[in-house]
């Protein structure tokens, strides 16, 4: 049975937590994406503490022995409470000031509005001392079983607005780790026109892995993605390593086609299509035939076709109109197969094998 011991950190205050900041790993792999709290939310937390209200518990993973990463040695990792803890650290480091509407409930004559921590210490040292000594409930979890920690993180955040990608990132098994490793690929660091905020990249990678695991084009809806991660929760790294290789081979091909911050990649639905398109092109040795110029031209043709349809729908290309209509169901397998057939026919005259003459009839 795995060791799992819960304790309360003794003599834990705002200042003592700040003093041990270098010993806490704030971004373990199961954590949600950082920098989510707004300035208003950070100010509200400090307001709460200065006015003596309660603050929810913080949870730390206590390592059985210090975890060394480069020149840094950690004794703990943050399980839950990262945003609150970071807000406390930022205030003490004078990274933001109190709100201009701040009211000190203990003495209405005391004006703390717009004061930084340093100014608070200079002008109201007693109140600064009260803040430093504010008691925090810090719970430590002593275990070497990372799956228990990940499970605890998921349980603690069940009532929080975690999105699907954040929940999958906290799941046990090897797939979340593969997703995080693939996210370091040049394609995501250089070519994507949006960042990984709220794990948007992770969600795309999860879909890519699911698509790479299948022989045919199929749904990438949330239910199927969640089931995919659940199915492999107890798989070994060796069992799923091939998925990382398959995805990276396709991303290697895509890197050579798209430019940095490419506007063609703004649509997540198109990203899935491009992945499947390049996957087939790699398999058939046709990667060089899929150029950025041809993809950009396809987008221009679609736009012109939509304008034509506004004037006279009968004169517009039916398949392109259906391509746009199916864009409303980007994770539906049938929709993806049709859209891939249109792309294949337009770019490569059906050489990738997606086109079906019964579907892409010229007389429609």
């Amino acid at each position: 049975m795995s060791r799992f011991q819960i304790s309360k950190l003794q003599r834990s205050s705002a200042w003592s937590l700040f003093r041990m900041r270098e010993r806490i790993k704030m971004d373990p792999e199961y954590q949600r994406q950082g920098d989510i709290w707004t300035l208003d939310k950070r100010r509200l937390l400090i307001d709460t503490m200065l006015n003596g209200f309660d603050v929810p518990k913080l949870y730390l993973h206590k390592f059985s022995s210090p975890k060394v990463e480069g020149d840094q040695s950690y004794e703990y990792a943050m399980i839950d409470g990262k945003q609150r803890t970071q807000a406390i650290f930022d205030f003490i480091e004078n990274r933001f000031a109190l709100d201009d509407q701040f009211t000190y409930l203990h003495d209405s004559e005391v004006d703390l509005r717009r004061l930084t921590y340093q100014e608070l210490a200079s002008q109201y040292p007693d109140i600064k001392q009260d803040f430093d000594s504010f008691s925090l409930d810090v719970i430590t979890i002593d275990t070497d079983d990372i799956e228990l920690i990940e499970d605890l993180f998921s349980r603690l955040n069940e009532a929080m607005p975690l999105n699907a990608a954040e929940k999958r990132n906290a799941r046990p098994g090897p797939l979340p780790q593969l997703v995080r490793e693939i996210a370091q690929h040049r394609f995501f660091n250089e070519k994507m026109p949006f960042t990984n905020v709220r794990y948007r990249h992770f969600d795309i990678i999860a879909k890519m892995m699911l698509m790479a695991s299948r022989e045919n084009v199929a749904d990438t809806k949330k239910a199927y993605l969640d089931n995919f991660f659940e199915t492999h929760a107890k798989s070994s790294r060796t069992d799923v390593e091939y998925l990382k290789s398959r995805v990276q081979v396709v991303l290697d091909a895509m890197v050579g086609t798209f430019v940095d911050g490419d506007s063609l990649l703004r649509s997540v639905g198109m990203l899935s299509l491009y992945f499947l398109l390049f996957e087939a092109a790699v398999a058939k040795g046709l990667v060089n035939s899929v150029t950025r110029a041809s993809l950009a031209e396809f987008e221009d043709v679609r736009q012109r076709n939509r304008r034509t349809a506004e004037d006279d729908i009968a004169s517009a290309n039916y398949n392109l109109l259906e391509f746009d209509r199916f864009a409303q169901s980007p994770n539906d397998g049938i929709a993806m197969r049709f859209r891939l057939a249109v792309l294949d026919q337009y770019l490569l005259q059906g050489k990738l094998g997606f086109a079906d003459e019964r579907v892409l009839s010229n007389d429609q």
Side-chain angles (χ1 to χ4, degrees):
M1 181 178 292
S2 299
R3 187 180 80 260
F4 188 77
Q5 183 176 349
I6 300 178
S7 306
K8 184 173 181 180
L9 194 67
Q10 298 301 311
R11 297 181 299 278
S12 53
S13 65
W15 182 251
S16 65
L17 187 67
F18 178 73
R19 289 182 60 190
M20 60 188 289
R21 66 192 182 284
E22 300 297 333
R23 295 149 53 197
I24 303 173
K25 182 174 175 59
M26 297 294 289
D27 56 350
E29 294 169 342
Y30 44 80
Q31 262 289 352
R32 68 164 66 191
Q33 184 85 351
D35 299 323
I36 295 174
W37 269 26
T38 63
L39 176 59
D40 285 343
K41 290 190 70 172
R42 288 183 287 163
R43 282 172 166 166
L44 180 59
L45 175 71
I46 305 305
D47 183 314
T48 297
M49 295 171 66
L50 284 169
N51 280 309
F53 292 109
D54 190 36
V55 171
K57 294 177 181 178
L58 308 174
Y59 289 82
L60 299 178
H61 176 200
K62 186 178 187 301
F63 300 133
S64 56
S65 59
K67 184 180 181 67
V68 178
E69 295 184 4
D71 297 330
Q72 195 70 34
S73 177
Y74 299 105
E75 296 178 32
Y76 303 92
M78 182 64 65
I79 300 175
D80 190 67
K82 176 181 178 180
Q83 304 301 329
R84 279 168 277 148
T85 303
Q86 194 61 60
I88 293 170
F89 293 172
D90 288 347
F91 181 65
I92 294 177
E93 291 175 339
N94 298 298
R95 296 181 185 276
F96 66 90
L98 296 175
D99 189 79
D100 57 8
Q101 299 297 318
F102 180 88
T103 300
Y104 187 54
L105 299 180
H106 300 292
D107 187 346
S108 60
E109 298 299 318
V110 173
D111 185 4
L112 305 182
R113 292 175 299 169
R114 296 181 293 277
L115 294 186
T116 63
Y117 177 82
Q118 185 176 17
E119 292 168 337
L120 184 67
S122 174
Q123 299 179 34
Y124 300 97
D126 291 342
I127 297 177
K128 176 263 187 189
Q129 181 60 40
D130 289 341
F131 174 81
D132 288 347
S133 59
F134 184 91
S135 180
L136 295 167
D137 282 335
V138 181
I139 307 301
T140 62
I141 312 299
D142 185 0
T143 183
D144 289 325
D145 190 335
I146 192 64
E147 290 194 5
L148 288 176
I149 293 295
E150 290 173 338
D151 182 53
L152 175 62
F153 175 79
S154 296
R155 289 168 184 261
L156 289 170
N157 284 281
E158 190 60 33
M160 300 290 284
L162 284 169
N163 64 31
E166 289 170 328
K167 288 181 179 179
R168 284 194 292 271
N169 183 62
R171 292 195 64 81
L175 292 189
Q177 179 61 35
L178 291 186
V179 169
R180 292 188 287 266
E181 291 174 8
I182 294 172
Q184 302 306 311
H185 194 280
R186 279 185 59 206
F187 179 80
F188 289 97
N189 289 328
E190 299 175 11
K191 308 304 175 182
M192 293 292 283
F194 52 84
T195 67
N196 194 31
V197 169
R198 299 305 304 271
Y199 292 155
R200 293 182 69 187
H201 292 180
F202 286 9
D203 190 56
I204 294 165
I205 295 167
K207 292 177 182 178
M208 290 178 173
M209 289 172 56
L210 178 59
M211 291 186 284
S213 73
R214 295 168 166 174
E215 295 298 325
N216 301 308
V217 179
D219 284 19
T220 57
K221 296 186 180 78
K222 177 182 179 298
Y224 295 102
L225 283 172
D226 290 345
N227 182 66
F228 179 53
F229 276 66
E230 176 67 26
T231 300
H232 288 291
K234 296 188 181 301
S235 297
S236 68
R237 171 72 183 233
T238 304
D239 292 334
V240 296
E241 186 71 35
Y242 75 98
L243 292 173
K244 178 182 176 181
S245 299
R246 287 185 181 181
V247 171
Q248 288 187 325
V249 165
V250 179
L251 293 178
D252 288 343
M254 295 174 73
V255 160
T257 299
F258 295 98
V259 299
D260 290 358
D262 205 318
S263 60
L264 289 177
L265 302 174
R266 286 177 299 185
S267 165
V268 173
M270 288 302 297
L271 261 169
S272 294
L273 289 185
Y274 291 151
F275 179 83
L276 290 168
L277 185 78
F278 275 86
E279 185 181 44
V282 168
K284 292 180 178 288
L286 294 172
V287 171
N288 292 335
S289 299
V290 183
T291 65
R292 188 187 186 284
S294 63
L295 294 174
E297 182 181 334
F298 178 74
E299 290 300 302
D300 290 339
V301 169
R302 284 175 59 201
Q303 290 183 24
R304 291 199 299 271
N305 191 64
R306 287 195 291 268
R307 289 195 293 269
T308 298
E310 291 174 359
D311 297 331
D312 180 12
I313 193 169
S315 300
N317 183 291
Y318 175 82
N319 288 325
L320 290 178
L321 291 179
E322 287 294 280
F323 185 99
D324 290 342
R325 182 173 72 85
F326 277 127
Q328 304 304 311
S329 304
N331 298 310
D332 181 80
I334 294 175
M336 283 196 286
R337 285 195 293 274
F338 180 87
R339 299 180 84 208
L340 273 170
V342 174
L343 260 179
D344 182 15
Q345 191 67 35
Y346 183 86
L347 298 175
L348 297 169
Q349 291 75 53
K351 292 180 182 178
L352 296 180
F354 291 115
D356 185 333
E357 292 182 358
R358 294 169 300 173
V359 175
L360 300 182
S361 175
N362 291 326
D363 58 6
Q364 287 183 299

